[in-house]
């Protein structure tokens, strides 16, 4: 059993497609065990994307991620990190396979609808960034 952090990004909340994303996540067999809507402030977004601080797209990414509410959740399941990354597809919707969440819901490489942790270490850090152990339910 593994856990991963998912973020439904502001573009999806703004266009009322949170339910459509969650439906596909649940259909895939991944189970949400914590969920919260919040509006990231600049420091929270910068801290979350700290590894990208030197990237040319960092400022714009932070602008986007603070532009409106997001839905953060913890997904649980066997091999959850890799399974969710597969469900999402490549970061850039143009390069993502048909049927993946980035392809179906993303607009471009920045406004790409959703986030998922990329490895066990990052999943642990990202889950702890938003949730405490007591926030996670047993299912
Ligand atoms: P990931 O979200 O698939 O792990 P990362 O490379 O970690 O991809 O990038 C984090 C986020 O930064 C992406 O989800 C996307 O929103 C944004 N991003 C990544 N690469 C670019 C880019 O080349 N231009 C603009 N935004 C980007
Ligand atoms: Mg990443």
């Amino acid at each position: 059993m593994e856990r991963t952090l998912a973020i439904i990004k502001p573009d999806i909340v703004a266009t009322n497609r949170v339910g459509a994303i969650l439906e596909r996540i649940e259909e895939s067999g991944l189970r949400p065990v914590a969920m919260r809507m919040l509006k990231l402030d600049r420091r929270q977004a910068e801290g979350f994307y700290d590894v990208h601080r030197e990237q040319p797209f960092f400022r714009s990414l932070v602008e986007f991620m603070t532009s409106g509410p997001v839905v953060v959740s913890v997904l649980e399941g066997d091999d959850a990190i890799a399974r969710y990354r597969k469900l999402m597809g490549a970061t850039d919707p143009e390069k993502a396979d048909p049927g993946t969440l980035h392809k179906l819901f993303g607009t471009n490489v920045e406004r790409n609808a959703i986030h998922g942790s990329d490895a066990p270490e990052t999943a642990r850090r990202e889950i702890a960034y938003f949730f405490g152990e007591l926030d996670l339910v047993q299912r």
Side-chain angles (χ1 to χ4, degrees):
M1 198 56 78
E2 195 174 59
R3 290 169 177 166
T4 190
L5 184 89
I7 305 180
I8 300 177
K9 296 186 179 185
D11 52 336
I12 295 300
V13 177
T15 53
N16 308 308
R17 294 179 294 170
V18 172
I21 298 267
L22 289 176
E23 184 174 21
R24 285 170 190 270
I25 289 172
E26 289 189 305
E27 274 171 357
S28 81
L30 292 165
R31 288 184 303 280
V33 293
M35 194 174 296
R36 183 151 80 90
M37 181 177 271
L38 76 162
K39 189 165 185 297
L40 294 171
D41 65 27
R42 193 166 58 81
R43 284 185 52 174
Q44 286 173 315
E46 287 177 351
F48 184 79
Y49 282 118
D50 195 52
V51 294
H52 295 305
R53 215 169 265 274
E54 305 306 324
Q55 297 289 332
F57 58 79
F58 182 70
R59 267 176 83 97
S60 176
L61 175 62
V62 168
E63 284 286 313
F64 165 51
M65 290 301 290
T66 56
S67 66
V70 298
V71 176
V72 291
S73 62
V74 178
L75 308 179
E76 191 175 79
D78 292 328
D79 206 19
I81 295 168
R83 269 169 68 199
Y84 185 50
R85 293 286 294 198
K86 190 153 186 276
L87 183 68
M88 292 194 300
T91 306
D92 183 348
E94 276 183 32
K95 296 177 183 144
D97 288 337
T100 59
L101 298 180
H102 283 143
K103 175 64 94 186
L104 289 168
F105 295 96
T107 302
N108 57 45
V109 67
E110 178 178 275
R111 304 175 80 85
N112 65 352
I114 46 168
H115 166 87
S117 309
D118 61 6
E121 270 305 295
T122 39
R124 264 191 292 281
R125 172 190 177 268
E126 290 177 359
I127 290 168
Y129 199 77
F130 292 108
F131 298 100
E133 199 55 42
L134 292 175
D135 296 321
L136 308 181
V137 299
Q138 301 260 359
R139 296 190 56 177

